[in-house]
């Protein structure tokens, strides 16, 4: 891990790192916020997965998570959204290729050589930060849009690795949406039976989640139809999945929406990661 930027923030430190990824076969950049409590010992970690076209920087700068993480004593991990660099496959469209890794392991050329974001987040980056930073092994995960899709699918498939999961306006049913069918076909091939492991609605129906789930969705989200939140909400209702699916009136898909409810999500994860009610935590 090579530190390439470091800033003091709310008594803690916001650092950007670069490292050579064996999984993605390229240099990868990610960011970590360590709260002031990390100076006294290991702390839990909340992973934030970003959406289409983003890098580690978007949520780090615009999400407003650091103040809340410092209050509750939680580290933040901001991975990139895809592999990047010379020789990494790309596409002219904004929603495929670099910036649009969809948090899966591609099996189809030309993507399969580098696009292994599922293993990268779940295994390689997790092992790297846990080995180098004061983290205590308790992890939660959240994300926005494509990153909400990633947070839900990674957690639902790996409840042993995450104690809590939430999402902001996730791509909830990608196998039935133009934000999903195009990418799943490109990365995994046209056999739709291979897509179910990367669809939160399908996974919620088949696997469920052992705890509760928090999802926020803006009512005025300009991408509402592409996200298909109603599909996931319907499955949660029919399977009696514990959780809160909140429609926030008047909010769109932007980081104004994310930053408004960032405090709710950090407090909610803190309650579950620490196994107790967190100071100021809501919703209960």
């Amino acid at each position: 891990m090579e530190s390439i930027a470091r800033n003091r923030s709310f008594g803690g430190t916001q650092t950007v790192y670069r490292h050579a990824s064996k999984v993605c076969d390229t240099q990868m950049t990610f960011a970590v916020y360590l709260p002031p409590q990390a100076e006294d010992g290991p702390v839990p970690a909340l992973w934030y997965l970003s959406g289409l076209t983003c890098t580690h920087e978007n949520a780090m700068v615009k999400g407003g998570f650091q103040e809340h993480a410092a209050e509750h004593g939680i580290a933040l991990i901001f991975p990139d959204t895809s592999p990047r660099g010379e020789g990494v496959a790309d596409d002219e469209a904004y929603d495929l290729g670099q910036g649009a890794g969809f948090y899966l392991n591609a099996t189809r050329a030309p993507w399969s050589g580098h696009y292994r974001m599922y293993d990268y987040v779940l295994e390689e980056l997790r092992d790297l930060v846990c080995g180098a930073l004061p983290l205590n092994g308790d992890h939660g995960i959240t994300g926005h849009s494509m990153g909400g899709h990633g947070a839900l699918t990674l957690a639902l498939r790996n409840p042993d690795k995450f104690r809590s999961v939430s999402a902001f306006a996730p791509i909830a049913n990608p196998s039935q949406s133009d934000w999903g069918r195009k990418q799943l076909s490109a990365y995994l091939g046209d056999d739709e039976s291979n897509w179910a492991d990367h669809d939160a609605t399908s996974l919620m129906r088949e696997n469920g989640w052992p705890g509760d789930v928090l999802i926020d969705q803006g009512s005025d989200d300009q991408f509402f139809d592409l996200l298909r939140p109603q599909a996931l909400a319907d499955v949660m209702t029919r399977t009696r999945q514990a959780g809160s699916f909140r429609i926030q009136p008047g909010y769109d898909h932007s980081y104004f929406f994310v930053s408004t409810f960032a405090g709710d999500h950090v407090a909610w994860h803190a309650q579950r990661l620490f196994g107790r009610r967190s100071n100021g935590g809501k919703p209960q």
Side-chain angles (χ1 to χ4, degrees):
M1 288 167 50
E2 174 192 2
S3 174
I4 58 177
R6 182 181 175 90
N7 300 92
R8 198 73 171 157
S9 177
F10 295 101
T13 54
Q14 178 65 67
T15 307
V16 178
Y17 295 99
R18 180 168 53 217
H19 75 113
S21 168
K22 293 182 179 179
V23 169
C24 295
D25 192 25
T26 189
Q27 291 284 323
M28 297 292 288
T29 303
F30 65 96
V32 176
Y33 176 74
L34 290 178
Q37 294 87 338
E39 297 177 4
D40 299 321
V43 295
L46 176 59
W47 293 72
Y48 181 94
L49 306 185
S50 291
L52 287 167
T53 76
C54 292
T55 70
H56 68 279
E57 188 174 25
N58 296 72
M60 181 185 79
V61 173
K62 297 190 289 187
F65 288 91
Q66 290 89 342
E67 181 177 9
H68 308 296
E71 176 187 354
H72 296 287
I74 292 178
L76 301 168
I77 315 294
F78 302 100
D80 202 346
T81 54
S82 77
R84 301 176 192 270
E86 186 177 354
V88 176
D90 200 7
D91 191 90
E92 293 181 356
Y94 76 94
D95 57 354
L96 186 66
Q98 295 187 29
F102 263 74
Y103 303 101
L104 51 75
N105 293 334
T107 58
R108 194 176 192 181
W111 314 104
S112 55
H114 298 279
Y115 284 75
R116 301 187 61 80
M117 291 300 294
Y118 181 89
D119 282 353
Y120 175 70
V121 171
L122 189 67
E123 303 290 348
E124 185 179 36
L125 186 56
R126 184 185 177 108
D127 288 348
L128 184 66
V129 297
C130 287
L133 300 173
L135 306 180
N136 68 9
D138 293 327
H139 295 248
I141 190 167
T142 188
H144 174 229
S145 193
M146 180 186 72
H149 141 80
L152 289 169
T153 55
L154 264 70
L156 291 172
R157 293 176 64 183
N158 301 278
D160 57 322
K161 289 186 176 290
F162 298 101
R163 292 188 60 183
S164 55
V165 58
S166 71
F168 300 82
I171 303 176
N173 191 200
S175 67
Q176 302 302 315
S177 168
D178 288 343
W179 268 5
R181 294 186 62 83
K182 170 184 175 179
Q183 294 84 358
L184 295 173
S185 176
Y187 294 139
L188 302 175
D190 296 329
D191 183 352
E192 297 187 18
S193 66
N194 295 324
W195 299 0
D197 279 348
H198 304 284
D199 187 302
T201 297
S202 297
L203 290 169
M204 189 69 79
R205 182 187 302 112
E206 296 301 320
N207 299 355
W209 174 252
D212 54 347
V213 179
L214 173 61
I215 298 173
D216 275 310
Q217 170 66 60
S219 68
D220 289 3
D221 193 314
Q222 58 269 48
F223 305 112
F224 197 98
D225 291 342
L226 290 167
L227 300 171
R228 291 182 54 81
Q230 68 277 14
L232 180 57
D234 180 61
V235 164
M236 289 177 64
T237 299
R238 287 192 286 110
T239 61
R240 303 184 185 185
Q241 171 63 50
S244 298
F245 200 120
R246 310 189 303 185
I247 300 296
Q248 302 293 358
Y251 284 89
D252 61 13
H253 199 69
S254 71
Y255 267 94
F256 294 110
F257 159 66
V258 173
S259 61
T260 297
F261 300 102
D264 279 10
H265 283 247
V266 174
W268 186 88
H269 283 276
Q271 182 180 345
R272 285 143 187 82
L273 291 169
F274 286 110
R276 57 175 170 76
R277 185 185 299 269
S278 179
N279 235 6
K282 57 181 182 178
Q284 305 300 342

